[in-house]
Amino acid sequence: MAGAAMLSGCSHGPQTSTHPLPGIDVTGKASLREHAANARLLFGFAVNTAQLRSNRSYRAIVEQQASIIVPENAMKWRALRPSMDRYDFEDADSLLTFAEKNRIKLRGHNLCWHQSLPDWFAASANAADAHRLLVDHIRTVAGRYAGRMHSWDVVNEAINTRDGRADGLRNSPWLRLVGTDYIEIAFRSAREADPAALLTYNEYGLESASPDGAEKRAATLQMLRRLKQRNVPVDAIGIQSHLHAPSTQGAGPELLRFMASCREMGLEIFLSEMDVSDRDLSAAIDTRDRVVAEDYRGFLNTALQERRVTAVLTWGVDDASTSLNAEQPRKDRLAQRPLLFDSRYQAKPSFASVRDAFDARLGAAPARAAAPSTFRLPRL
Ligand code: 9MR
């Protein structure tokens, strides 16, 4: 496993390779993983295995700040399935080795999605074999890492109310080939393969105040309730939380109501893919950084009121590693600044926002103060 050796072999002191927000220490007890732990939260990033392997500064930030990571792409079908009958686990294995060596928890992403399927899938999968393909994949992948994963995004983004179905389900290849039961089949297969991982339904747009957001929340709750009624093993919901600055809207009360409904169903809640797109902000870096930081603060101050939120992850480590420049390029072609560290690994104002929101969850800063007695913290 050459990849694993490379990922875990090089160690580099995080203190010497990152640059704190001017005047603010971000290391050790001042790191986000420590502030998160004090608020009974896990904090971390979606990571890119190539960066983790080759870039010391990137790796140092992850080691220093994260108590949980998720592969941005390395555990998707496209990465794991070069052909129908072959699996390639090199990157995924190396990531787990890295995580375990550094005592960082690993989320798996994802076992069933309409995107990032390998090219052979469209040409080869059909209604006769798709059910078997799905179950075999989940048995093989979740089974390989059984007992070592914090959680798995078992089904990703299965709702799309614009597809016009009464149940709100997305017209995905899995729905077309396997039928509406594909979600239930995926969760049951995942539980059999790994009884320990928290099995998660992960979705975008749930946090939005728009009419689309309201429809998505309603359809998602309807789907989750139905799964729970049928004793399908769903343990958690991932609210992706891809925000767009300036998010003056903030789905505050609706989001809290949605999260309370999830809690009442017994679900744990992860803010699983946070970033703040600055596509619609003017060019000035100071303004962008300030508005993005305000959006992180505003969103987390609301969302962390829900006690079942147990993890917060950003989708990428530093601004150079965001997927947003490809997905939502700015009109002026400037690089987006949606994350907590800039492309030179300097902590940004958004870092301070996230840290302060974690502290505010305890009602006390600096951290380590006792939680107010009225605030029941989740057990991790
Ligand atoms: O950031 C990911 C990008 O590198 C991939 O090309 C893309 C398709 O696999 O997926 C991106 O990650 C998405 C995640 O898997 C699911 N939620 C939305 C994320 C951003 O688009």
Side-chain angles (χ1 to χ4, degrees):
M1 222 168 35
M6 285 175 76
L7 260 186
S8 57
C10 262
S11 68
H12 186 72
Q15 317 276 351
T16 54
S17 61
T18 60
H19 311 281
L21 196 63
I24 299 180
D25 182 20
V26 302
T27 64
K29 293 245 178 293
S31 66
L32 286 178
R33 65 177 285 160
E34 288 285 328
H35 281 267
N38 291 330
R40 299 294 187 273
L41 287 166
L42 296 166
F43 170 78
F45 311 103
V47 296
N48 173 304
T49 41
Q51 287 286 315
L52 208 50
R53 190 174 289 135
S54 62
N55 182 332
R56 287 175 159 220
S57 302
Y58 181 99
R59 188 169 60 244
I61 299 244
V62 175
E63 290 170 356
Q64 181 184 75
Q65 304 293 333
S67 44
I68 187 165
I69 52 176
V70 59
E72 183 176 5
N73 290 309
M75 286 184 169
K76 291 176 180 171
W77 274 67
R78 182 178 272 284
L80 294 177
R81 305 293 301 272
S83 63
M84 200 174 202
D85 50 9
R86 209 165 65 78
Y87 287 82
D88 178 352
F89 287 115
E90 186 171 319
D91 275 0
D93 283 357
S94 66
L95 196 59
L96 186 54
T97 305
F98 168 82
E100 289 180 339
K101 175 173 172 267
N102 290 288
R103 290 192 291 280
I104 298 173
K105 292 182 194 297
L106 185 62
R107 305 196 68 229
H109 174 86
N110 53 56
L111 295 170
C112 180
W113 190 25
H114 63 283
Q115 280 187 38
S116 272
L117 290 164
D119 292 338
W120 57 259
F121 187 91
S124 315
N126 55 53
D129 67 9
H131 181 167
R132 185 189 53 78
L133 258 181
L134 179 64
V135 172
D136 282 355
H137 181 86
I138 293 176
R139 279 192 190 142
T140 306
V141 176
R144 182 177 182 89
Y145 303 120
R148 298 165 71 189
M149 303 296 288
H150 165 270
S151 51
W152 265 110
D153 286 334
V154 177
V155 175
N156 198 40
E157 303 172 1
I159 301 286
N160 185 13
T161 54
R162 291 184 175 193
D163 282 347
R165 293 174 51 98
D167 58 12
L169 289 184
R170 177 186 296 278
N171 180 20
S172 84
W174 294 114
L175 183 93
R176 291 195 297 274
L177 295 174
V178 181
T180 51
D181 282 355
Y182 85 90
I183 298 171
E184 173 167 346
I185 291 165
F187 276 98
R188 291 195 195 283
S189 306
R191 177 67 99 225
E192 267 175 42
D194 183 353
L198 294 167
L199 304 185
T200 308
Y201 176 68
N202 193 49
E203 183 61 91
Y204 69 85
L206 292 170
E207 63 289 328
S208 166
S210 68
D212 274 356
E215 280 188 9
K216 192 163 252 188
R217 285 189 289 278
T220 301
L221 285 179
Q222 187 188 321
M223 178 193 76
L224 290 169
R225 286 200 180 104
R226 186 164 176 278
L227 293 172
K228 282 290 185 186
Q229 273 160 13
R230 295 174 57 78
N231 286 321
V232 177
V234 188
D235 303 312
I237 177 145
I239 298 176
Q240 291 186 9
S241 315
H242 293 289
L243 310 182
H244 298 265
S247 66
T248 42
Q249 88 282 4
E254 299 93 326
L255 177 62
L256 286 172
R257 269 200 297 280
F258 173 79
M259 292 197 290
S261 302
C262 292
R263 167 175 24 93
E264 283 153 16
M265 270 186 258
L267 298 175
E268 197 159 323
I269 302 169
F270 312 134
L271 307 179
S272 54
E273 305 190 7
M274 270 196 95
D275 53 18
V276 180
S277 168
D278 69 17
R279 186 190 48 193
D280 298 325
L281 300 181
S282 60
I285 284 180
D286 284 2
T287 314
R288 283 199 271 157
D289 285 0
R290 181 176 49 74
V291 176
V292 165
E294 279 166 12
D295 282 0
Y296 271 101
R297 186 187 304 273
F299 180 77
L300 287 176
N301 279 344
T302 299
L304 294 180
Q305 288 170 34
E306 170 49 57
R307 64 180 186 269
R308 284 299 279 169
V309 176
T310 57
V312 176
L313 296 97
T314 63
W315 201 248
V317 174
D318 65 290
D319 287 339
S321 67
T322 179
S323 59
L324 286 174
N325 292 322
E327 292 170 359
Q328 303 175 27
R330 288 175 57 93
K331 285 207 181 71
D332 57 16
R333 296 280 150 185
L334 290 173
Q336 289 226 27
R337 299 175 63 84
L339 293 166
L340 310 187
F341 290 86
D342 71 14
S343 54
R344 288 178 305 155
Y345 309 101
Q346 306 231 21
K348 294 162 54 192
S350 47
F351 176 100
S353 290
V354 173
R355 181 201 58 199
D356 295 350
F358 291 167
D359 292 350
R361 194 186 204 205
L362 278 176
R368 294 250 178 258
S373 55
T374 50
F375 190 72
R376 283 215 353 257
L377 292 166
R379 215 162 51 82
L380 292 183

mmCIF file of all heavy atoms in Angstrom, residues 206-249:
data_model
loop_
_atom_site.group_PDB
_atom_site.id
_atom_site.type_symbol
_atom_site.label_atom_id
_atom_site.label_comp_id
_atom_site.label_asym_id
_atom_site.label_seq_id
_atom_site.Cartn_x
_atom_site.Cartn_y
_atom_site.Cartn_z
ATOM 1 N N LEU A 206 -30.912 21.982 2.223
ATOM 2 C CA LEU A 206 -31.843 21.874 3.359
ATOM 3 C C LEU A 206 -31.822 23.128 4.212
ATOM 4 O O LEU A 206 -32.771 23.424 4.924
ATOM 5 C CB LEU A 206 -31.470 20.666 4.231
ATOM 6 C CG LEU A 206 -31.671 19.300 3.594
ATOM 7 C CD1 LEU A 206 -31.030 18.214 4.449
ATOM 8 C CD2 LEU A 206 -33.162 19.014 3.393
ATOM 9 N N GLU A 207 -30.710 23.848 4.141
ATOM 10 C CA GLU A 207 -30.525 25.021 4.995
ATOM 11 C C GLU A 207 -31.058 26.290 4.341
ATOM 12 O O GLU A 207 -31.063 27.348 4.957
ATOM 13 C CB GLU A 207 -29.030 25.187 5.321
ATOM 14 C CG GLU A 207 -28.121 25.464 4.126
ATOM 15 C CD GLU A 207 -27.930 24.275 3.197
ATOM 16 O OE1 GLU A 207 -27.943 23.131 3.678
ATOM 17 O OE2 GLU A 207 -27.792 24.482 1.977
ATOM 18 N N SER A 208 -31.527 26.181 3.097
ATOM 19 C CA SER A 208 -31.901 27.391 2.361
ATOM 20 C C SER A 208 -33.292 27.888 2.749
ATOM 21 O O SER A 208 -34.224 27.112 2.943
ATOM 22 C CB SER A 208 -31.867 27.087 0.857
ATOM 23 O OG SER A 208 -32.515 28.109 0.152
ATOM 24 N N ALA A 209 -33.420 29.239 2.816
ATOM 25 C CA ALA A 209 -34.723 29.840 3.141
ATOM 26 C C ALA A 209 -35.618 29.949 1.907
ATOM 27 O O ALA A 209 -36.767 30.362 2.017
ATOM 28 C CB ALA A 209 -34.510 31.215 3.748
ATOM 29 N N SER A 210 -35.106 29.577 0.749
ATOM 30 C CA SER A 210 -35.869 29.722 -0.501
ATOM 31 C C SER A 210 -37.047 28.746 -0.533
ATOM 32 O O SER A 210 -37.079 27.774 0.231
ATOM 33 C CB SER A 210 -34.944 29.429 -1.679
ATOM 34 O OG SER A 210 -34.599 28.052 -1.647
ATOM 35 N N PRO A 211 -38.014 28.956 -1.450
ATOM 36 C CA PRO A 211 -39.108 27.983 -1.602
ATOM 37 C C PRO A 211 -38.566 26.577 -1.920
ATOM 38 O O PRO A 211 -39.098 25.583 -1.423
ATOM 39 C CB PRO A 211 -39.905 28.546 -2.780
ATOM 40 C CG PRO A 211 -39.605 30.018 -2.779
ATOM 41 C CD PRO A 211 -38.203 30.165 -2.284
ATOM 42 N N ASP A 212 -37.500 26.501 -2.709
ATOM 43 C CA ASP A 212 -36.884 25.190 -2.982
ATOM 44 C C ASP A 212 -36.426 24.519 -1.684
ATOM 45 O O ASP A 212 -36.569 23.314 -1.510
ATOM 46 C CB ASP A 212 -35.652 25.344 -3.889
ATOM 47 C CG ASP A 212 -36.034 25.361 -5.352
ATOM 48 O OD1 ASP A 212 -37.231 25.173 -5.660
ATOM 49 O OD2 ASP A 212 -35.125 25.572 -6.187
ATOM 50 N N GLY A 213 -35.846 25.337 -0.803
ATOM 51 C CA GLY A 213 -35.357 24.805 0.476
ATOM 52 C C GLY A 213 -36.513 24.238 1.294
ATOM 53 O O GLY A 213 -36.415 23.156 1.874
ATOM 54 N N ALA A 214 -37.630 24.989 1.320
ATOM 55 C CA ALA A 214 -38.792 24.524 2.088
ATOM 56 C C ALA A 214 -39.320 23.216 1.523
ATOM 57 O O ALA A 214 -39.644 22.280 2.265
ATOM 58 C CB ALA A 214 -39.880 25.600 2.073
ATOM 59 N N GLU A 215 -39.394 23.137 0.200
ATOM 60 C CA GLU A 215 -39.865 21.889 -0.429
ATOM 61 C C GLU A 215 -38.925 20.737 -0.138
ATOM 62 O O GLU A 215 -39.347 19.609 0.097
ATOM 63 C CB GLU A 215 -39.936 22.076 -1.958
ATOM 64 C CG GLU A 215 -41.171 22.789 -2.415
ATOM 65 C CD GLU A 215 -41.282 22.781 -3.944
ATOM 66 O OE1 GLU A 215 -40.489 22.069 -4.614
ATOM 67 O OE2 GLU A 215 -42.150 23.503 -4.453
ATOM 68 N N LYS A 216 -37.638 21.037 -0.169
ATOM 69 C CA LYS A 216 -36.669 19.960 0.062
ATOM 70 C C LYS A 216 -36.741 19.462 1.502
ATOM 71 O O LYS A 216 -36.673 18.266 1.753
ATOM 72 C CB LYS A 216 -35.263 20.429 -0.288
ATOM 73 C CG LYS A 216 -34.284 19.280 -0.333
ATOM 74 C CD LYS A 216 -33.013 19.633 -1.051
ATOM 75 C CE LYS A 216 -32.939 18.948 -2.382
ATOM 76 N NZ LYS A 216 -31.662 19.098 -3.056
ATOM 77 N N ARG A 217 -36.887 20.379 2.444
ATOM 78 C CA ARG A 217 -37.015 19.954 3.840
ATOM 79 C C ARG A 217 -38.251 19.068 4.010
ATOM 80 O O ARG A 217 -38.185 18.016 4.654
ATOM 81 C CB ARG A 217 -37.112 21.172 4.770
ATOM 82 C CG ARG A 217 -35.803 21.884 4.993
ATOM 83 C CD ARG A 217 -35.902 22.947 6.089
ATOM 84 N NE ARG A 217 -36.683 24.118 5.704
ATOM 85 C CZ ARG A 217 -36.211 25.132 4.979
ATOM 86 N NH1 ARG A 217 -34.961 25.156 4.585
ATOM 87 N NH2 ARG A 217 -36.992 26.164 4.671
ATOM 88 N N ALA A 218 -39.359 19.480 3.405
ATOM 89 C CA ALA A 218 -40.595 18.704 3.563
ATOM 90 C C ALA A 218 -40.436 17.313 2.945
ATOM 91 O O ALA A 218 -40.802 16.295 3.559
ATOM 92 C CB ALA A 218 -41.758 19.460 2.918
ATOM 93 N N ALA A 219 -39.889 17.258 1.736
ATOM 94 C CA ALA A 219 -39.751 15.956 1.066
ATOM 95 C C ALA A 219 -38.750 15.061 1.799
ATOM 96 O O ALA A 219 -38.927 13.842 1.888
ATOM 97 C CB ALA A 219 -39.311 16.171 -0.384
ATOM 98 N N THR A 220 -37.718 15.677 2.344
ATOM 99 C CA THR A 220 -36.703 14.890 3.069
ATOM 100 C C THR A 220 -37.304 14.305 4.342
ATOM 101 O O THR A 220 -37.106 13.114 4.648
ATOM 102 C CB THR A 220 -35.478 15.777 3.392
ATOM 103 O OG1 THR A 220 -34.946 16.267 2.164
ATOM 104 C CG2 THR A 220 -34.404 14.999 4.132
ATOM 105 N N LEU A 221 -38.072 15.127 5.068
ATOM 106 C CA LEU A 221 -38.705 14.608 6.297
ATOM 107 C C LEU A 221 -39.674 13.482 5.961
ATOM 108 O O LEU A 221 -39.733 12.460 6.659
ATOM 109 C CB LEU A 221 -39.444 15.729 7.030
ATOM 110 C CG LEU A 221 -38.568 16.729 7.790
ATOM 111 C CD1 LEU A 221 -39.443 17.802 8.443
ATOM 112 C CD2 LEU A 221 -37.704 16.034 8.839
ATOM 113 N N GLN A 222 -40.416 13.667 4.891
ATOM 114 C CA GLN A 222 -41.376 12.627 4.486
ATOM 115 C C GLN A 222 -40.629 11.316 4.181
ATOM 116 O O GLN A 222 -41.028 10.237 4.619
ATOM 117 C CB GLN A 222 -42.120 13.119 3.246
ATOM 118 C CG GLN A 222 -43.261 12.229 2.793
ATOM 119 C CD GLN A 222 -43.810 12.693 1.424
ATOM 120 O OE1 GLN A 222 -43.913 13.885 1.155
ATOM 121 N NE2 GLN A 222 -44.143 11.745 0.579
ATOM 122 N N MET A 223 -39.532 11.431 3.464
ATOM 123 C CA MET A 223 -38.762 10.230 3.134
ATOM 124 C C MET A 223 -38.172 9.594 4.399
ATOM 125 O O MET A 223 -38.251 8.370 4.592
ATOM 126 C CB MET A 223 -37.631 10.604 2.170
ATOM 127 C CG MET A 223 -36.750 9.430 1.804
ATOM 128 S SD MET A 223 -35.234 9.957 0.981
ATOM 129 C CE MET A 223 -34.304 10.575 2.376
ATOM 130 N N LEU A 224 -37.615 10.413 5.276
ATOM 131 C CA LEU A 224 -36.980 9.866 6.479
ATOM 132 C C LEU A 224 -38.018 9.203 7.389
ATOM 133 O O LEU A 224 -37.779 8.137 7.965
ATOM 134 C CB LEU A 224 -36.237 10.975 7.238
ATOM 135 C CG LEU A 224 -34.975 11.515 6.539
ATOM 136 C CD1 LEU A 224 -34.476 12.780 7.244
ATOM 137 C CD2 LEU A 224 -33.862 10.458 6.514
ATOM 138 N N ARG A 225 -39.190 9.828 7.500
ATOM 139 C CA ARG A 225 -40.250 9.248 8.344
ATOM 140 C C ARG A 225 -40.654 7.886 7.798
ATOM 141 O O ARG A 225 -40.843 6.925 8.542
ATOM 142 C CB ARG A 225 -41.467 10.169 8.401
ATOM 143 C CG ARG A 225 -41.220 11.369 9.271
ATOM 144 C CD ARG A 225 -42.533 12.040 9.743
ATOM 145 N NE ARG A 225 -42.165 13.175 10.574
ATOM 146 C CZ ARG A 225 -42.214 14.452 10.184
ATOM 147 N NH1 ARG A 225 -42.679 14.763 8.983
ATOM 148 N NH2 ARG A 225 -41.839 15.419 10.994
ATOM 149 N N ARG A 226 -40.781 7.817 6.498
ATOM 150 C CA ARG A 226 -41.173 6.553 5.873
ATOM 151 C C ARG A 226 -40.104 5.488 6.136
ATOM 152 O O ARG A 226 -40.408 4.336 6.480
ATOM 153 C CB ARG A 226 -41.361 6.768 4.369
ATOM 154 C CG ARG A 226 -41.906 5.561 3.673
ATOM 155 C CD ARG A 226 -42.450 5.853 2.282
ATOM 156 N NE ARG A 226 -42.860 4.575 1.699
ATOM 157 C CZ ARG A 226 -42.016 3.732 1.127
ATOM 158 N NH1 ARG A 226 -40.730 4.016 1.046
ATOM 159 N NH2 ARG A 226 -42.471 2.580 0.636
ATOM 160 N N LEU A 227 -38.855 5.860 6.013
ATOM 161 C CA LEU A 227 -37.774 4.900 6.268
ATOM 162 C C LEU A 227 -37.812 4.439 7.724
ATOM 163 O O LEU A 227 -37.697 3.241 8.020
ATOM 164 C CB LEU A 227 -36.411 5.527 5.940
ATOM 165 C CG LEU A 227 -36.152 5.843 4.460
ATOM 166 C CD1 LEU A 227 -34.851 6.635 4.297
ATOM 167 C CD2 LEU A 227 -36.094 4.563 3.614
ATOM 168 N N LYS A 228 -37.991 5.383 8.631
ATOM 169 C CA LYS A 228 -38.034 5.029 10.054
ATOM 170 C C LYS A 228 -39.217 4.090 10.351
ATOM 171 O O LYS A 228 -39.075 3.133 11.110
ATOM 172 C CB LYS A 228 -38.134 6.300 10.908
ATOM 173 C CG LYS A 228 -36.814 7.032 11.051
ATOM 174 C CD LYS A 228 -35.878 6.219 11.935
ATOM 175 C CE LYS A 228 -34.583 6.924 12.236
ATOM 176 N NZ LYS A 228 -33.630 6.081 12.959
ATOM 177 N N GLN A 229 -40.379 4.394 9.732
ATOM 178 C CA GLN A 229 -41.557 3.528 9.954
ATOM 179 C C GLN A 229 -41.267 2.104 9.519
ATOM 180 O O GLN A 229 -41.786 1.149 10.072
ATOM 181 C CB GLN A 229 -42.750 4.048 9.143
ATOM 182 C CG GLN A 229 -43.566 5.101 9.855
ATOM 183 C CD GLN A 229 -44.400 5.930 8.862
ATOM 184 O OE1 GLN A 229 -44.546 5.563 7.692
ATOM 185 N NE2 GLN A 229 -44.922 7.044 9.339
ATOM 186 N N ARG A 230 -40.434 1.961 8.524
ATOM 187 C CA ARG A 230 -40.115 0.628 8.005
ATOM 188 C C ARG A 230 -38.863 0.049 8.660
ATOM 189 O O ARG A 230 -38.292 -0.927 8.189
ATOM 190 C CB ARG A 230 -39.935 0.707 6.487
ATOM 191 C CG ARG A 230 -41.225 1.081 5.759
ATOM 192 C CD ARG A 230 -41.018 1.311 4.283
ATOM 193 N NE ARG A 230 -40.432 0.150 3.617
ATOM 194 C CZ ARG A 230 -41.107 -0.943 3.281
ATOM 195 N NH1 ARG A 230 -42.402 -1.015 3.549
ATOM 196 N NH2 ARG A 230 -40.505 -1.949 2.694
ATOM 197 N N ASN A 231 -38.442 0.680 9.762
ATOM 198 C CA ASN A 231 -37.265 0.212 10.505
ATOM 199 C C ASN A 231 -35.995 0.136 9.671
ATOM 200 O O ASN A 231 -35.153 -0.737 9.873
ATOM 201 C CB ASN A 231 -37.525 -1.158 11.143
ATOM 202 C CG ASN A 231 -38.431 -1.036 12.333
ATOM 203 O OD1 ASN A 231 -38.299 -0.080 13.096
ATOM 204 N ND2 ASN A 231 -39.366 -1.963 12.470
ATOM 205 N N VAL A 232 -35.893 1.048 8.728
ATOM 206 C CA VAL A 232 -34.654 1.127 7.940
ATOM 207 C C VAL A 232 -33.599 1.815 8.816
ATOM 208 O O VAL A 232 -33.901 2.814 9.474
ATOM 209 C CB VAL A 232 -34.902 1.934 6.640
ATOM 210 C CG1 VAL A 232 -33.624 2.086 5.844
ATOM 211 C CG2 VAL A 232 -35.994 1.254 5.816
ATOM 212 N N PRO A 233 -32.393 1.264 8.867
ATOM 213 C CA PRO A 233 -31.398 1.798 9.803
ATOM 214 C C PRO A 233 -30.727 3.091 9.336
ATOM 215 O O PRO A 233 -29.626 3.081 8.809
ATOM 216 C CB PRO A 233 -30.372 0.664 9.898
ATOM 217 C CG PRO A 233 -30.482 -0.053 8.594
ATOM 218 C CD PRO A 233 -31.911 0.069 8.156
ATOM 219 N N VAL A 234 -31.417 4.210 9.557
ATOM 220 C CA VAL A 234 -30.837 5.538 9.291
ATOM 221 C C VAL A 234 -30.525 6.155 10.644
ATOM 222 O O VAL A 234 -31.404 6.267 11.484
ATOM 223 C CB VAL A 234 -31.828 6.463 8.550
ATOM 224 C CG1 VAL A 234 -31.137 7.753 8.120
ATOM 225 C CG2 VAL A 234 -32.436 5.764 7.358
ATOM 226 N N ASP A 235 -29.265 6.543 10.857
ATOM 227 C CA ASP A 235 -28.847 7.061 12.159
ATOM 228 C C ASP A 235 -28.657 8.568 12.188
ATOM 229 O O ASP A 235 -28.639 9.166 13.257
ATOM 230 C CB ASP A 235 -27.491 6.453 12.565
ATOM 231 C CG ASP A 235 -27.526 4.940 12.588
ATOM 232 O OD1 ASP A 235 -28.468 4.389 13.183
ATOM 233 O OD2 ASP A 235 -26.613 4.310 12.000
ATOM 234 N N ALA A 236 -28.407 9.153 11.015
ATOM 235 C CA ALA A 236 -27.988 10.564 11.029
ATOM 236 C C ALA A 236 -28.384 11.244 9.731
ATOM 237 O O ALA A 236 -28.601 10.595 8.706
ATOM 238 C CB ALA A 236 -26.472 10.660 11.206
ATOM 239 N N ILE A 237 -28.472 12.580 9.818
ATOM 240 C CA ILE A 237 -28.673 13.378 8.602
ATOM 241 C C ILE A 237 -27.488 14.328 8.432
ATOM 242 O O ILE A 237 -27.023 14.935 9.403
ATOM 243 C CB ILE A 237 -30.002 14.163 8.637
ATOM 244 C CG1 ILE A 237 -30.116 15.018 7.375
ATOM 245 C CG2 ILE A 237 -30.141 15.029 9.875
ATOM 246 C CD1 ILE A 237 -31.485 15.163 6.839
ATOM 247 N N GLY A 238 -26.998 14.406 7.210
ATOM 248 C CA GLY A 238 -25.955 15.376 6.878
ATOM 249 C C GLY A 238 -26.610 16.560 6.189
ATOM 250 O O GLY A 238 -27.186 16.414 5.104
ATOM 251 N N ILE A 239 -26.560 17.711 6.840
ATOM 252 C CA ILE A 239 -27.058 18.957 6.238
ATOM 253 C C ILE A 239 -25.828 19.618 5.631
ATOM 254 O O ILE A 239 -24.953 20.115 6.349
ATOM 255 C CB ILE A 239 -27.716 19.840 7.323
ATOM 256 C CG1 ILE A 239 -28.925 19.108 7.933
ATOM 257 C CG2 ILE A 239 -28.114 21.199 6.756
ATOM 258 C CD1 ILE A 239 -29.597 19.846 9.091
ATOM 259 N N GLN A 240 -25.724 19.589 4.305
ATOM 260 C CA GLN A 240 -24.449 19.951 3.678
ATOM 261 C C GLN A 240 -24.012 21.380 4.006
ATOM 262 O O GLN A 240 -22.843 21.644 4.244
ATOM 263 C CB GLN A 240 -24.527 19.748 2.164
ATOM 264 C CG GLN A 240 -24.617 18.271 1.787
ATOM 265 C CD GLN A 240 -24.559 18.022 0.288
ATOM 266 O OE1 GLN A 240 -24.288 18.920 -0.509
ATOM 267 N NE2 GLN A 240 -24.810 16.785 -0.101
ATOM 268 N N SER A 241 -24.940 22.334 3.966
ATOM 269 C CA SER A 241 -24.633 23.715 4.362
ATOM 270 C C SER A 241 -23.662 24.415 3.412
ATOM 271 O O SER A 241 -22.670 25.021 3.844
ATOM 272 C CB SER A 241 -24.093 23.773 5.803
ATOM 273 O OG SER A 241 -24.863 22.979 6.672
ATOM 274 N N HIS A 242 -23.918 24.313 2.125
ATOM 275 C CA HIS A 242 -23.188 25.138 1.149
ATOM 276 C C HIS A 242 -23.924 26.482 1.091
ATOM 277 O O HIS A 242 -25.009 26.576 0.521
ATOM 278 C CB HIS A 242 -23.195 24.478 -0.230
ATOM 279 C CG HIS A 242 -22.412 23.200 -0.274
ATOM 280 N ND1 HIS A 242 -21.037 23.179 -0.200
ATOM 281 C CD2 HIS A 242 -22.801 21.910 -0.358
ATOM 282 C CE1 HIS A 242 -20.617 21.924 -0.254
ATOM 283 N NE2 HIS A 242 -21.666 21.134 -0.338
ATOM 284 N N LEU A 243 -23.339 27.514 1.690
ATOM 285 C CA LEU A 243 -24.017 28.809 1.796
ATOM 286 C C LEU A 243 -23.556 29.756 0.685
ATOM 287 O O LEU A 243 -22.502 29.546 0.087
ATOM 288 C CB LEU A 243 -23.722 29.446 3.164
ATOM 289 C CG LEU A 243 -23.946 28.572 4.402
ATOM 290 C CD1 LEU A 243 -23.649 29.368 5.671
ATOM 291 C CD2 LEU A 243 -25.361 28.014 4.458
ATOM 292 N N HIS A 244 -24.377 30.786 0.437
ATOM 293 C CA HIS A 244 -24.043 31.787 -0.583
ATOM 294 C C HIS A 244 -24.079 33.155 0.064
ATOM 295 O O HIS A 244 -25.125 33.586 0.539
ATOM 296 C CB HIS A 244 -25.052 31.736 -1.736
ATOM 297 C CG HIS A 244 -25.044 30.425 -2.445
ATOM 298 N ND1 HIS A 244 -24.300 30.208 -3.573
ATOM 299 C CD2 HIS A 244 -25.631 29.256 -2.144
ATOM 300 C CE1 HIS A 244 -24.441 28.941 -3.947
ATOM 301 N NE2 HIS A 244 -25.253 28.347 -3.092
ATOM 302 N N ALA A 245 -22.947 33.830 0.042
ATOM 303 C CA ALA A 245 -22.898 35.172 0.639
ATOM 304 C C ALA A 245 -23.483 36.204 -0.326
ATOM 305 O O ALA A 245 -23.336 36.058 -1.537
ATOM 306 C CB ALA A 245 -21.451 35.536 0.960
ATOM 307 N N PRO A 246 -24.117 37.286 0.175
ATOM 308 C CA PRO A 246 -24.414 37.470 1.591
ATOM 309 C C PRO A 246 -25.716 36.754 1.934
ATOM 310 O O PRO A 246 -26.727 36.993 1.284
ATOM 311 C CB PRO A 246 -24.590 38.985 1.710
ATOM 312 C CG PRO A 246 -25.087 39.413 0.354
ATOM 313 C CD PRO A 246 -24.556 38.429 -0.656
ATOM 314 N N SER A 247 -25.654 35.875 2.919
ATOM 315 C CA SER A 247 -26.861 35.092 3.194
ATOM 316 C C SER A 247 -27.709 35.821 4.226
ATOM 317 O O SER A 247 -27.812 35.419 5.372
ATOM 318 C CB SER A 247 -26.538 33.667 3.616
ATOM 319 O OG SER A 247 -25.888 33.645 4.827
ATOM 320 N N THR A 248 -28.282 36.940 3.772
ATOM 321 C CA THR A 248 -29.144 37.728 4.648
ATOM 322 C C THR A 248 -30.389 36.934 5.022
ATOM 323 O O THR A 248 -31.015 37.179 6.025
ATOM 324 C CB THR A 248 -29.588 39.011 3.921
ATOM 325 O OG1 THR A 248 -29.903 38.650 2.580
ATOM 326 C CG2 THR A 248 -28.479 40.043 3.902
ATOM 327 N N GLN A 249 -30.721 35.936 4.156
ATOM 328 C CA GLN A 249 -31.946 35.170 4.365
ATOM 329 C C GLN A 249 -31.854 34.333 5.647
ATOM 330 O O GLN A 249 -32.588 34.560 6.584
ATOM 331 C CB GLN A 249 -32.269 34.283 3.149
ATOM 332 C CG GLN A 249 -31.665 32.878 3.087
ATOM 333 C CD GLN A 249 -30.178 32.870 2.646
ATOM 334 O OE1 GLN A 249 -29.572 33.898 2.448
ATOM 335 N NE2 GLN A 249 -29.587 31.707 2.527
#
